[in-house]
Amino acid sequence: METIKVIIVEDDYEAAGIYKQFTDQQPGFDVIATAGSGRQALDLLKVVQPHLILLDVFLPDTNGIELLKEIRKQHWGVDVILITAANDTETVSQAIRGGAFGYLIKPIMIDKLIVTLEEYKQMRSQLYEQKKVDQDKVDRMFRTAQSKKQPGSSTAQLPKGIDKHTLKLVREKIKTVEESLNADEFSQLFGISYSTTRRYLEYLVSTHEMEVQVIYGSIGRPERKYKSL
């Protein structure tokens, strides 16, 4: 099966970078572009044809649900996973009616993102390799049976790129800090690179061991600050 081409639509530059990093690490996936607005996303779709879009709901120029509807009209073969802070039932129900493959609530659990990507890849593989399916296979494609059979399986292993020994070090270090720090400050504390530090901080946010605050200054991009819970 061909590599799954992905576009990320997210106006938070750092969050988009994190999704790209973990998605690219998964075998069979390739993030080919990112967009910071709905208009940029639609312009991209005129020149590239992804298989999957990771889509935020709160965009500076449109609502992600409306963008999902537009994508459905113009690009029927593109699948969508929503990644958003919107947790109201109306938005969730509109996402379901709009045909979204998945819905991840921020701050997302990285291992949940990885599991959802793997489920998507398995679904595509089954559709690609088989001409006919029985009810059991249909259930697995729609993930109804799979979600019931594997409760908690997403936390059985650490995500790719998270080493247990480094994670232990990071957990010990963050216990010594009471205030909120950005990734660069934590990088100096840990003695590891900025990109590696950010990966571990986002993982700890996903496991609810840390919280992240996005601070919007008057100039420049928003800053993400992390604090141990």
Side-chain angles (χ1 to χ4, degrees), residues 84-133:
T84 176
N87 59 358
D88 60 285
T89 55
E90 178 60 27
T91 302
V92 174
S93 64
Q94 288 187 55
I96 294 171
R97 289 195 294 269
F101 179 83
Y103 195 105
L104 303 178
I105 298 175
K106 294 180 179 178
I108 68 168
M109 297 178 67
I110 296 300
D111 50 356
K112 178 61 177 176
L113 170 62
I114 293 170
V115 167
T116 303
L117 291 174
E118 182 60 29
E119 288 175 344
Y120 176 74
K121 183 170 72 172
Q122 291 177 5
M123 181 272 293
R124 278 188 58 84
S125 176
Q126 291 172 7
L127 291 175
Y128 183 83
E129 295 172 355
Q130 302 174 26
K131 297 299 182 183
K132 294 182 179 180
V133 293

Side-chain angles (χ1 to χ4, degrees), residues 14-26:
E14 286 202 37
I18 291 164
Y19 305 154
K20 182 181 187 307
Q21 178 182 13
F22 281 99
T23 301
D24 277 339
Q25 287 177 355
Q26 305 315 304

Side-chain angles (χ1 to χ4, degrees), residues 142-154:
F142 279 90
R143 296 178 300 146
T144 53
Q146 186 173 15
S147 62
K148 292 176 182 178
K149 290 178 182 177
Q150 299 177 340
S153 62
S154 64

